Amino acid sequence: MTILRKLQLSAAAVALSTTGVVAQEVEVLHWWTSGGEAAALNVLREDLAGSGIGWTDMPVAGGGGSDAMTVLRARVTAGDPPTAVQMLGFSIQDWAAEGALANLNDLAAEQNWDDVVPAALQRFSTYDGDWVAAPVNVHSTNWVWANTALMEELGIEQPGTWDEFVAAMQAAQDAGYTALAHGGQAWQDATIFDSMVMGVGGPEFYQAAMVDLDPEALGSAQMVEAFERMAVLRGFVDDNFSGRDWNLASAMVANGDALFQIMGDWAKGEFINAGQTAGEEFQCFRVPGTEGTVTFNSDQFAMFNVTDAAAMEAQAAMASAVMSPEFQVAFNTVKGSVPARTDISPEAFDACGQMGMAQLAEAAASGGLFGSMAHGHANNPSVQNAMYDVITAHFNGEYDAETAAQEMVTAVELAM
Ligand code: GAL
């Protein structure tokens, strides 16, 4: 990194950008294509437009980011990286290790990112001591989204245990509703699996299996039980789930066709986008068995190394905008996530958002905060993909629970 480049990715560049002297533009690769996600993305686009920064959209549909990362690799291999990329956890680290990401240290120092971004996020936003990404949010993945009217009709209270959760789904199924709205994509299966692992084994087991990749934990009786619970969930999913996008599953809950969805709080963005309110038409609670813990992921924007001065200035302006406290409120209240900064008041957030912020802080303080495997924050992309394959094969009936646990051991070993 040259000194010139470092200077340009700083506030001086931001100041220049707002004068509109140079025609600036960011090309942003992202996977925010659902209604709620697009509404949140618009907050960012408009924020930048207000500073005279143009936007070239590079959306990759599919949710979860798997397809977006394939497209990114192709763009970089072709020598044509986008200027800014939505990225998760260990992927940021991999791209930084390749030397592909711009250094944001000057901007971070000017804006004090060290003090306002929690350690759990800095672990992914920095590489080798350098800031390489600007975190937009914190999502947490161990949520259940529920249709309030349907709960009332079926006489269901928020379940506090796995057995109560199963009984509630049984009641919905018996009454002719879809008990669990789910889509058929590997990352969606993996999202619910994170919660089954946490629910069965608790924080120590989650750490041993998903983060430390301890073969004993991966092949243990607890892992078998996590897979058994996945099979129970599979029994409550409707026949048409194959290939369904996650936001269509959220819509089933919003419309009252389905009782529950287990999904990260980006699902809340869909309910809000449909004009619903947390605690009224829909409600949120932690996946039974995971209370007190939070499995999280954080969307961050990494800036790819470019040589064009105007593009560098636009990158700095974008990173700066993303980290502003006002933007973090405006964006996250729409997205369903909570701010990546620790100095933001929960006031503007709805009931689920306020609960999310409080629980995130509690989990961080009590050792209950863990990166989501499904969303790239527990282990590297090759291990993650190996886990995806086993989880999805089991969910679709290819393996029984015992075999799936054994396959986890083997697949992870090969991927490490
Ligand atoms: C996650 C991402 C969220 C949300 C979700 C579904 O990986 O962090 O922002 O967009 O995928 O697409």
Side-chain angles (χ1 to χ4, degrees):
M1 161 124 348
T2 64
I3 289 177
L4 175 67
R5 179 175 176 81
K6 283 184 82 170
L7 279 176
Q8 280 172 326
L9 289 186
S10 71
V14 179
L16 181 62
S17 76
T18 53
T19 65
V21 172
V22 190
Q24 294 167 349
E25 188 169 277
V26 278
E27 187 196 8
V28 185
L29 191 152
H30 64 88
W31 61 92
W32 285 334
T33 55
S34 77
E37 289 174 328
L41 192 73
N42 246 347
V43 176
L44 177 58
R45 197 198 292 241
E46 278 168 19
D47 192 289
L48 292 177
S51 308
I53 312 284
W55 179 285
T56 302
D57 207 31
M58 178 73 203
V60 183
S66 313
D67 296 343
M69 289 301 103
T70 307
V71 170
L72 174 63
R73 176 58 69 189
R75 286 280 307 260
V76 175
T77 304
D80 179 30
T83 44
V85 178
Q86 177 194 358
M87 223 181 255
L88 297 173
F90 282 90
S91 289
I92 302 172
Q93 299 291 301
D94 280 3
W95 283 107
E98 286 187 31
L101 304 185
N103 181 312
L104 304 173
N105 282 351
D106 287 354
L107 193 60
E110 284 154 18
Q111 301 182 344
N112 235 0
W113 295 2
D114 277 339
D115 292 339
V116 295
V117 177
L121 300 196
Q122 284 196 37
R123 188 246 175 276
F124 298 108
S125 325
T126 60
Y127 179 77
D128 226 359
D130 291 327
W131 282 90
V132 293
V136 194
N137 63 8
V138 186
H139 271 300
S140 90
T141 60
N142 55 322
W143 288 112
V144 179
W145 305 92
N147 181 291
T148 305
L150 207 45
M151 285 178 72
E152 282 167 5
E153 182 186 321
L154 298 168
I156 291 169
E157 301 283 323
Q158 282 187 5
T161 64
W162 171 252
D163 288 345
E164 286 171 14
F165 188 52
V166 171
M169 289 189 288
Q170 190 63 58
Q173 195 173 59
D174 291 347
Y177 294 104
T178 296
L180 188 67
H182 185 65
Q185 289 168 332
W187 73 265
Q188 295 189 54
D189 299 338
T191 301
I192 62 179
F193 185 74
D194 273 353
S195 287
M196 295 306 107
V197 171
M198 186 66 87
V200 166
E204 272 172 37
F205 179 63
Y206 188 93
Q207 173 74 29
M210 309 311 259
V211 183
D212 299 340
L213 308 176
D214 170 6
E216 236 172 75
L218 288 168
S220 67
Q222 284 165 308
M223 189 57 79
V224 174
E225 197 183 338
F227 277 110
E228 279 166 354
R229 288 191 179 187
M230 290 294 283
V232 172
L233 294 178
R234 175 69 185 83
F236 288 116
V237 170
D238 67 308
D239 291 342
N240 298 323
F241 83 105
S242 196
R244 176 188 292 142
D245 283 327
W246 66 273
N247 53 309
L248 300 181
S250 304
M252 290 166 70
V253 175
N255 297 339
D257 296 331
L259 178 64
F260 296 148
Q261 179 184 22
I262 301 175
M263 191 42 69
D265 39 21
W266 46 90
K268 196 183 79 179
E270 297 305 303
F271 293 100
I272 297 172
N273 197 48
Q276 301 193 348
T277 303
E280 293 181 19
E281 296 94 337
F282 73 95
Q283 43 192 287
C284 59
F285 54 90
R286 292 293 172 181
V287 176
T290 72
E291 296 89 349
T293 67
V294 169
T295 42
F296 81 96
N297 64 306
S298 167
D299 292 304
Q300 311 212 12
F301 280 105
M303 307 299 160
F304 272 69
N305 279 323
V306 290
T307 46
D308 175 67
M312 286 185 209
E313 286 156 14
Q315 286 179 324
M318 181 173 173
S320 174
V322 155
M323 290 302 294
S324 97
E326 297 74 26
F327 171 78
Q328 293 255 333
V329 172
F331 178 87
N332 287 306
T333 45
V334 176
K335 183 68 168 69
S337 36
V338 303
R341 300 175 62 111
T342 50
D343 59 347
I344 308 274
S345 158
E347 210 184 323
F349 288 79
D350 64 18
C352 293
Q354 293 194 1
M355 206 195 296
M357 285 176 83
Q359 291 175 346
L360 180 67
E362 279 159 28
S366 68
L369 181 62
F370 292 87
S372 156
M373 174 280 292
H375 296 274
H377 282 65
N379 47 52
N380 70 48
S382 61
V383 170
Q384 179 191 356
N385 283 322
M387 288 188 167
Y388 272 25
D389 288 347
V390 178
I391 294 161
T392 289
H394 168 266
F395 200 71
N396 292 322
E398 232 175 276
Y399 304 137
D400 63 18
E402 291 273 351
T403 312
Q406 279 319 305
E407 288 293 327
M408 280 291 259
V409 179
T410 320
V412 167
E413 194 187 341
L414 288 173
M416 273 167 79

